[in-house]
């Protein structure tokens, strides 16, 4: 894609990323690179997964947070640091500060998942709950910084943070020297910018593809305009990349170094998360699964070997349940049917027997007997079924009709 060149801003170099890599030695894990047979067959080229979901604190955020805080002057460290985050950045700042002996205050939205709040506290940070959305939390953290002198640690809009995230790119080149395409999720842009800086400096032939959730895609209009553009009310299940405006520093790098930015739907995100869990046995949050979603949506668009960066695995169990159900529905593995039957003893058992013949798993059953549309001897039954895919859904419907049931569309 031919984007306008981004404006000149403080930049990040390969030497910065290499320096960050030395700083992170013994702090951040060199995360595993796992092959995916399913995606390899789909893309018709080797596909490997860079498992930052297995990083300390469960995401790549520790890398940038540690480099940023380690670079502070002694008097800045003494004043402490402050951050705002709903999850991954909060935990990265908390652990990095604890390792470096710096007091950290982290503002989190009141609705943040309890496991993420607990983890942030356990990593050593003082947690303050403020606001309902991250923008309100961010404003509170910046106000706290102005009042107390604590150093505000931005989640993506700082050269040191980007350099830290760029160490993921160096590891990819070391673990897969033959890589041709790297696919990485984009929120504010810190990870994509850092990976692009490291990789393009050493391997300019490698294609870097960024991925955003369609409901929170600020980069495409920003790249077209040549400047960061804010979008209103970003909405996506992928809270790790739900950012309404690109950061100024990463935007300049992404605009010059990232070859393409794609978007994926909520259905594609949930299907990708389900695939990671079922096929790769990896717990990945929706944002972390966005590169896999891009591969699923257009497998022929990626030259292999391909490395997909699974950026995080911090998913709230309640959200995980919802996303998995959504992913199974998107794959045609859930079927909801309503039908009418004669309201007599044994009628439901006969219906369930018909479903067992076609191997449909009944998840839920509800009866309606008082609807005025029903005849005196009729009952309406709504069934939620687990099926094996779209073809099986058709088979179930046909079997019910052949058994004499009236299926209501």
């Amino acid at each position: 894609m031919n984007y306008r060149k981004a404006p000149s801003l403080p930049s990040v170099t390969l030497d910065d990323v290499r320096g960050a890599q030395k700083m992170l030695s013994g702090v951040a894990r060199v995360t595993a690179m796992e092959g995916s047979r399913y995606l390899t067959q789909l893309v018709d080229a080797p596909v490997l997964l860079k498992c930052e979901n297995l990083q300390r604190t469960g995401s790549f955020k520790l890398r940038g947070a540690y480099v940023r805080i380690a670079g502070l002057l002694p008097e800045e460290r003494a004043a402490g640091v402050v951050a705002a985050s709903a999850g991954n950045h909060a935990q990265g700042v908390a652990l990095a500060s604890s390792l470096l002996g710096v007091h950290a205050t982290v503002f989190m939205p009141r609705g943040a998942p309890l496991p993420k709040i607990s983890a942030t506290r356990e990593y050593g940070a003082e947690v303050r709950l403020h606001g309902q959305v991250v923008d309100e939390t961010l404003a509170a953290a910046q106000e706290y910084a102005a009042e107390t002198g604590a150093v505000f640690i931005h989640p993506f809009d700082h050269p040191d943070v980007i350099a830290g995230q760029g160490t993921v790119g160096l590891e990819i080149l070391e673990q897969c020297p033959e890589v041709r395409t790297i696919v990485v999720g984009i929120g504010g842009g810190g990870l994509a910018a850092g990976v692009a800086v490291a990789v393009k400096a050493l391997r300019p032939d490698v294609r870097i593809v960024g991925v955003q959730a369609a409901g929170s895609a600020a980069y495409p209009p920003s790249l077209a305009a040549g400047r960061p553009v804010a979008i209103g009310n970003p909405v996506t299940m992928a809270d790790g990349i739900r950012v309404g405006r690109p950061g100024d520093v990463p935007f300049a790098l992404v605009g010059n170094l990232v070859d393409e930015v794609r978007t994926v739907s909520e259905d594609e995100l949930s299907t990708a998360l389900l695939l990671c869990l079922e096929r790769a046995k990896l717990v990945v949050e929706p944002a972390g699964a966005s590169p896999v979603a891009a591969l699923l949506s257009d497998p022929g668009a990626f030259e292999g070997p391909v490395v997909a960066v699974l950026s995080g695995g911090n998913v709230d169990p309640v959200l995980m349940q919802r996303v998995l159900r959504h992913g199974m529905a998107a794959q045609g593995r859930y079927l909801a049917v309503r039908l009418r039957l004669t309201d007599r003893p044994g009628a439901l058992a006969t219906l369930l027997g018909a479903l067992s013949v076609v191997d449909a798993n009944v998840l839920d059953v509800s009866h309606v007997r008082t609807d005025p549309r029903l005849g005196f001897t009729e009952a309406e039954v709504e069934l939620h079924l687990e099926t094996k895919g779209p073809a099986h859904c058709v088979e179930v419907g046909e079997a019910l009709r052949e058994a004499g049931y009236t299926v209501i569309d």
Side-chain angles (χ1 to χ4, degrees), residues 20 23 29 67 74 106 111 134 161 170 172 182 187 231 245-246 260 300 302 336 374 383-384 397:
M23 191 178 295
R29 294 174 181 150
V67 173
V106 177
V134 174
V161 172
L170 292 181
I172 290 173
I182 297 174
I231 60 171
R245 182 187 183 279
E260 181 184 6
F302 302 91
L374 296 173
L383 299 155
H384 291 183

Side-chain angles (χ1 to χ4, degrees), residues 104-122:
T105 303
V106 177
F107 285 77
M108 303 182 75
R110 296 187 188 280
L114 291 178
K116 294 185 178 182
I117 295 173
S118 298
T120 302
R121 286 183 172 137
E122 289 169 6

Side-chain angles (χ1 to χ4, degrees), residues 198-255:
V199 172
K200 289 292 188 178
L202 296 169
R203 287 280 308 282
D205 59 304
V206 173
R207 184 171 181 79
I208 309 292
V209 179
V211 184
Q212 292 208 286
S216 182
Y219 262 89
S222 297
L223 291 168
R227 58 181 175 79
V229 174
I231 60 171
N233 192 31
V235 178
T236 175
M237 69 176 75
D239 58 350
I241 54 175
R242 189 173 60 219
V243 177
R245 182 187 183 279
D248 292 329
V249 180
F251 175 78
L253 296 165
V254 169

Side-chain angles (χ1 to χ4, degrees), residues 184-186 211-217 235-242 262-277 284-297 310-311 315 319-320 322-324 326-328 330-331:
V184 57
I186 298 185
V211 184
Q212 292 208 286
S216 182
V235 178
T236 175
M237 69 176 75
D239 58 350
I241 54 175
R242 189 173 60 219
R262 290 173 165 254
T263 61
V264 293
S265 69
E266 298 299 285
D267 282 354
E268 289 162 345
L269 284 168
S270 55
T271 299
L273 186 149
L274 181 61
L275 184 143
C276 288
L277 186 63
V284 182
E285 63 191 87
S290 59
V292 175
L295 296 177
L296 293 175
S297 67
L310 307 182
S311 57
V315 57
L319 176 62
M320 172 70 90
R322 292 173 54 198
V323 172
L324 291 179
H326 189 84
M328 292 181 72
Q331 288 187 336

Side-chain angles (χ1 to χ4, degrees), residues 79-83 107 138-153:
V81 299
V82 61
F107 285 77
L138 182 65
Q142 291 172 324
E143 182 179 346
Y144 177 88
E147 291 174 351
T148 65
V151 179
F152 179 65
I153 307 299

Side-chain angles (χ1 to χ4, degrees), residues 72-91:
L72 296 178
L73 298 172
E75 57 269 27
E76 291 176 317
R77 292 196 189 193
V81 299
V82 61
S85 168
N88 289 347
H89 181 58
Q91 293 172 72

